Amino acid sequence: MWTADKWRDYELIDSSDGERLERWGSYTLIRPDPQVIWKDAKKSKLWQNADASYHRSSKGGGGWEKNRLPDEWQIGYESLGLRFTLRPMGFKHTGLFPEQAVNWDWFSQLIAKSGRKIKLLNLFGYTGGATVAAAKAGASVCHVDAAKGMVAQAKENAALSGLADAPIRYIVDDCKKFVEREIRRGNRYDAIIMDPPSYGRGPNGEVWKLEDNIDQLVNLTAGVLSDDPLFFLINSYTTGLSPSAMGYILALRVKSRYGGKIESDEIGLPVTSSGAVLPCGSSSRWGVSW
């Protein structure tokens, strides 16, 4: 498992009975997590004194119960010199997935060591964690997400990270439609990051399920790779879709054309109370070398 273990402003303190206890900067949150299927003793006193908790509703969705949590605050990822604004959002989110830092570290080194200007496409870019990490490493980035609010927060995070004037292009659009237009326009990219949702709806209301659409999407997106690409990264939070399955798709659609190598694994966060690592999704990486 690839572990995001360089955080100072984030800590996964404990996990038990479907929930995780976390420190985000100066604040402690309790959030549900379906991966936490064990019922271990809750060792930290902070379980009883958290700044906010997210409670699921029996009718679907849920909501935040705030004690001392502000509407927004900031944390940093000192390893790469990044800063992010956090906000309590719907469906338990804060605007950041801290486990993705292990991928930020990986591709930041590739970009910095490439010795050339890397043009990167970040699809389903959300609030820009990968975008700011890639830009900080020296890449020019095209950030695409269908949610206008998420793209606005990505711009904010770039500014906080000292990247307000960095070569980042922000696009509010359906990712598949955007890639199709880029192919027609002849635009090419040296690196691709893809973080598609498990489930959603397309621009015309069509149902999107990752396991039914990921191969087609990767095959389409491979069409915008340059003649000398650096890497292709796919992230997944879909239960039942193994990292090896994503790796197989990369082998079919990318490695067969460019050679290189593929590695796939779960990504996770260290849990302070147990010393174990909580699985938080998976990633598959293709690259020429690393």
Side-chain angles (χ1 to χ4, degrees), residues 9-107:
D9 275 4
Y10 173 85
E11 179 187 7
L12 181 46
I13 301 168
D14 199 4
S15 62
S16 180
D17 197 16
E19 294 181 315
R20 50 161 95 173
L21 174 67
E22 306 164 295
R23 177 180 61 81
W24 297 79
S26 301
Y27 300 98
T28 53
L29 307 182
I30 297 172
R31 299 192 297 154
D33 190 323
Q35 295 277 14
V36 182
I37 59 176
W38 47 89
K39 294 186 179 181
D40 194 20
K42 294 183 175 180
K43 302 176 180 65
S44 175
K45 294 180 180 179
L46 293 172
W47 282 106
Q48 287 76 45
N49 196 35
D51 294 300
S53 302
Y54 186 90
H55 301 290
R56 292 196 185 279
S57 169
S58 60
K59 299 179 181 179
W64 287 94
E65 178 186 349
K66 297 182 184 180
N67 296 325
R68 296 167 297 277
L69 192 68
D71 290 336
E72 64 178 55
W73 71 105
Q74 297 176 7
I75 66 170
Y77 186 57
E78 293 85 352
S79 177
L80 297 178
L82 309 177
R83 290 199 66 78
F84 304 97
T85 292
L86 303 179
R87 297 182 177 97
M89 300 180 179
F91 195 62
K92 76 178 183 180
H93 295 307
T94 63
L96 194 66
F97 291 88
E99 62 274 9
Q100 285 297 330
V102 72
N103 283 322
W104 305 341
D105 291 334
W106 172 76
F107 65 67

Side-chain angles (χ1 to χ4, degrees), residues 151-246:
V151 174
Q153 192 164 339
K155 290 182 181 180
E156 184 178 345
N157 287 332
L160 287 173
S161 299
L163 299 165
D165 298 322
I168 303 174
R169 179 183 173 207
Y170 300 96
I171 306 292
V172 179
D173 201 352
D174 174 79
C175 289
K176 180 174 180 289
K177 298 295 184 184
F178 177 78
V179 171
E180 289 171 342
R181 286 195 295 274
E182 289 292 86
I183 291 172
R184 292 195 295 269
R185 288 187 285 244
N187 288 335
R188 297 293 182 263
Y189 298 86
D190 305 304
I192 292 170
I193 299 170
M194 182 184 295
D195 201 349
S198 297
Y199 177 86
R201 292 191 178 274
N204 299 315
E206 62 271 26
V207 174
W208 158 277
K209 290 183 67 176
L210 182 62
E211 55 268 43
D212 295 337
N213 293 275
I214 185 63
D215 178 49
Q216 179 189 31
L217 182 61
V218 172
N219 192 36
L220 175 69
T221 307
V224 297
L225 282 171
S226 68
D227 293 333
D228 186 21
L230 185 64
F231 70 86
F232 196 129
L233 168 65
I234 308 173
N235 297 307
S236 170
Y237 290 89
T238 302
T239 303
L241 182 61
S242 73
S244 297
M246 295 189 298

Side-chain angles (χ1 to χ4, degrees), residues 115-156:
R116 57 193 174 101
K117 191 68 174 180
I118 297 299
K119 185 179 177 184
L120 183 145
L121 175 61
N122 185 15
L123 296 174
F124 310 95
Y126 193 51
T127 59
T131 291
V132 296
K136 188 70 109 175
S140 61
V141 183
C142 181
H143 174 106
V144 186
D145 197 282
K148 185 176 180 180
M150 297 300 99
V151 174
Q153 192 164 339
K155 290 182 181 180
E156 184 178 345

Side-chain angles (χ1 to χ4, degrees), residues 234 242-252 262-264 283-285:
I234 308 173
S242 73
S244 297
M246 295 189 298
Y248 195 94
I249 292 171
L250 282 178
L252 286 177
I262 293 169
E263 57 181 13
S264 305
S283 297
S284 187
R285 306 163 172 171

